Amino acid sequence: MQQDDPLLAGYVPAQDRLVRSLLDSGRFAEAGVAFDELVAAGPSLVGEQWNRATVLVHRASLAWRLAHIPLALELAAEGWTELDVDRPQGGCAAHTISMLGYLLETIGHRGPSLELMSLSVQVARESGECSALAHCLNREGNARVFRAVTHPEDSAEQFARACELHGEAHSLAKPGQVKRSALAGYARALAGVGEMDRAERAALEALAGRRGTIGIYNYKTGEILCAVTAPSYDPDNMPDVESDTTGAYTGVYLNRFFDVTYTPGSIFKVLTAAAAIENIPDIGTRSFQCGGTNILGGQKIVCEGVHGTINFQNGLAYSCNNVFGEIAAELGGKTLQKYAEKAGLTGSLSCDGYHTAAGRVDLRGAGDGDVAWAGIGQYTDQVSAYAFMRFMGVIAGGGEAAEPYLMASIQKGEKTTYTASRTSTGRVLEADTAKTLASMMRYDVEQVYGAWQFGSLNVCAKSGTAELEGQTANAMFAGFVQDDACPLAFVVFVENG
């Protein structure tokens, strides 16, 4: 359980909190097992020492995240009947009403959802419990961002209100997950009202001292909306970098979005999947076996789970190393490298004349074992955040996308001397391949990451970790929003994250 979430620690049983902690940590298979154990004696069984409505609504949200839809609806309905909405009092009631409203928003029952979340903020405010209020403010803020995206006619009002909600949540929350969530929501809302500089600063603060980069661009127009690199500093308030002994500014002069390459880890499996779709005719109907380890080309391939019999789609969703090691070895080094080159993941790319760090996928002379690890996103693979963001745009755009650009226009006095125009990446993937990949990445979100986290946004994504010897692994998340009203591709690379 998150250390900065004391409210749930006091109002939800340990096993429920364990399931949520596993889900929040991305350990979905373990979360599923823990949830099955939790509900084995009866999904609505709650000890007398607990607030029944709170536990049932929280359990409904867990069921929804684990795709137990009928059970989630049943628990939510039962939790509603247990809740005294006529005379709600205290932080526990506020938190329960907020969770219920957010769940209703997520599953599409939007009529009462915002009213419930606004009520929860009022109840939390009256209770004087700052932690409960921060949670409730965040949930309503997130819901209003989603409303703004899906209902453009009300977007200005909704984004403005979301700014207020997340801003207050950030001011109230202690350092930790809730505060980071408030910052992330605040950044989204600021971007929605056109305050991109403040949005980037909020995104930078959300990295909370970690090194890494965040990039977002419009894959239809090419405009880069966010290119955060950390560590960084305010050039108008220059710190004494040279005298710093804390390590906070180590590597500060590196732009991690353009000038650094990373081992991609499992996000690279999307590239391997693209090559498989176009080169292995029966890939969609194949079954694979994952017993945790496998030997390919004399090398031991280790998977973080034991998936048993698993198909191609679930292999990507559950990031099975054995599935993708086997696929990569079958494709061979030449094919895998050809697709990496075609996707722009090798060599240097130009963005408004600025040349990025050169990626690397070099499989010349590599044996099956090395090719297997390369297809998983390890071996000697290196990619830049910029290049991978562009590749996400290609998939979202049906196999081609707008080339990213930084400079929209240049003005000298009242005269515009330069205006950016759309240029295309050209055809990188077949349209059907891109469509299949988008569907698989949407499945990842629905089955593993939780579509509930993105509200009404049709997010397609893949997560990854890149193992580092003797260090905490780097964390990656890449994807796009498949929506004509919000055509955004994104990457998040966090070092030792």
Side-chain angles (χ1 to χ4, degrees):
M1 192 60 201
Q2 298 294 338
Q3 294 299 311
D4 62 337
D5 202 358
L7 185 69
L8 288 183
Y11 289 95
V12 175
Q15 184 69 8
D16 293 72
R17 288 186 283 115
L18 172 63
V19 177
R20 179 183 167 186
S21 179
L22 290 169
L23 283 169
D24 289 346
S25 302
R27 296 158 65 183
F28 305 104
E30 293 172 73
V33 172
F35 184 79
D36 289 343
E37 293 174 355
L38 171 66
V39 300
S44 58
L45 184 64
V46 179
E48 293 182 359
Q49 69 270 39
W50 304 106
N51 183 293
R52 184 171 174 78
T54 302
V55 174
L56 290 175
V57 172
H58 181 261
R59 204 167 284 175
S61 71
L62 298 178
W64 183 267
R65 292 176 67 177
L66 289 165
H68 299 309
I69 309 304
L71 178 58
L73 297 176
E74 176 187 327
L75 289 169
E78 191 171 352
W80 171 260
T81 61
E82 294 282 345
L83 185 63
D84 183 2
V85 293
D86 293 326
R87 297 181 303 277
Q89 291 182 336
C92 180
H95 197 71
T96 307
I97 295 167
S98 177
M99 285 194 296
L100 183 60
Y102 198 76
L103 182 60
L104 290 175
E105 176 78 12
T106 302
I107 65 181
H109 294 295
R110 294 177 183 160
S113 61
L114 271 183
E115 290 182 15
L116 283 171
M117 282 184 273
S118 295
L119 174 61
S120 76
V121 169
Q122 178 185 334
V123 174
R125 200 180 298 282
E126 291 172 353
S127 75
E129 296 185 27
C130 290
S131 61
L133 180 55
H135 276 281
C136 296
L137 289 163
N138 267 347
R139 289 200 186 96
E140 185 182 348
N142 285 334
R144 289 189 180 277
V145 168
F146 300 146
R147 289 285 183 98
V149 172
T150 55
H151 295 80
E153 67 277 8
D154 299 323
S155 62
E157 179 183 348
Q158 297 288 9
F159 276 130
R161 179 60 180 144
C163 280
E164 295 173 2
L165 292 161
H166 284 303
E168 185 180 358
H170 177 247
S171 70
L172 291 171
K174 295 178 181 179
Q177 185 187 19
V178 177
K179 199 173 190 73
R180 290 194 298 272
S181 177
L183 273 171
Y186 191 46
R188 288 194 297 268
L190 286 169
V193 296
E195 297 194 36
M196 299 308 300
D197 288 344
R198 291 178 65 196
E200 283 206 2
R201 287 197 295 272
L204 183 61
E205 189 179 346
L207 283 169
R210 295 177 176 84
R211 291 172 169 78
T213 182
I214 300 169
I216 304 170
Y217 99 113
N218 184 317
Y219 57 80
K220 288 188 177 292
T221 67
E223 181 181 7
I224 295 177
L225 301 171
C226 173
V228 168
T229 176
S232 186
Y233 58 84
D234 183 352
D236 292 329
N237 187 24
M238 180 73 177
D240 187 359
V241 174
E242 303 304 323
S243 300
D244 176 65
T245 58
T246 67
Y249 294 105
T250 301
V252 72
Y253 297 122
L254 279 174
N255 185 315
R256 283 168 162 76
F257 183 65
F258 289 110
D259 298 333
V260 174
T261 60
Y262 292 90
T263 302
S266 289
I267 61 173
F268 193 84
K269 289 171 182 170
V270 178
L271 187 281
T272 305
I277 291 165
E278 294 189 356
N279 291 274
I280 302 177
D282 65 342
I283 191 64
T285 58
R286 279 199 192 179
S287 291
F288 300 83
Q289 295 298 318
C290 173
T293 61
N294 192 13
I295 303 296
L296 287 170
Q299 293 196 37
K300 187 177 183 179
I301 308 299
V302 180
C303 186
E304 292 188 2
V306 178
H307 299 111
T309 301
I310 187 170
N311 63 19
F312 179 50
Q313 178 168 263
N314 281 317
L316 185 67
Y318 294 97
S319 210
C320 180
N321 286 348
N322 286 315
V323 169
F324 278 85
E326 189 175 325
I327 289 172
E330 181 174 344
L331 288 167
K334 288 184 179 179
T335 298
L336 198 59
Q337 184 164 339
K338 180 181 77 173
Y339 273 80
E341 291 170 354
K342 193 175 179 182
L345 301 183
T346 63
S348 178
L349 296 170
S350 176
C351 178
D352 286 346
Y354 189 96
H355 293 279
T356 68
R360 181 187 181 206
V361 178
D362 186 358
L363 299 175
R364 291 171 295 181
D368 284 353
D370 290 335
V371 173
W373 278 114
I376 292 166
Q378 297 285 152
Y379 188 47
T380 60
D381 296 355
Q382 292 285 299
V383 302
S384 72
Y386 172 88
F388 212 86
M389 179 189 74
R390 177 181 178 271
F391 179 49
M392 292 296 98
V394 164
I395 299 171
E400 74 87 29
E403 289 283 8
Y405 67 79
L406 281 168
M407 192 69 65
S409 63
I410 299 175
Q411 283 190 294
K412 292 185 177 179
E414 296 182 358
K415 185 179 180 181
T416 301
T417 59
Y418 170 81
T419 302
S421 59
R422 186 190 192 278
T423 58
S424 173
T425 60
R427 176 62 56 186
V428 176
L429 297 172
E430 295 298 325
D432 286 347
T433 302
K435 183 178 180 180
T436 300
L437 284 173
S439 176
M440 292 175 71
M441 293 172 71
R442 179 60 187 169
Y443 181 82
D444 294 355
V445 171
E446 292 174 338
Q447 296 297 315
V448 179
Y449 312 133
W452 66 274
Q453 299 198 76
F454 307 103
S456 302
L457 294 177
N458 192 34
V459 173
C460 309
K462 180 74 185 83
S463 65
T465 54
E467 300 301 324
L468 303 170
E469 189 172 349
Q471 301 181 52
T472 302
N474 290 342
M476 279 77 176
F477 196 63
F480 50 88
V481 182
Q482 203 166 42
D483 187 337
D484 288 339
C486 187
L488 303 178
F490 59 85
V491 289
V492 181
F493 289 5
V494 181
E495 297 175 22
N496 307 123

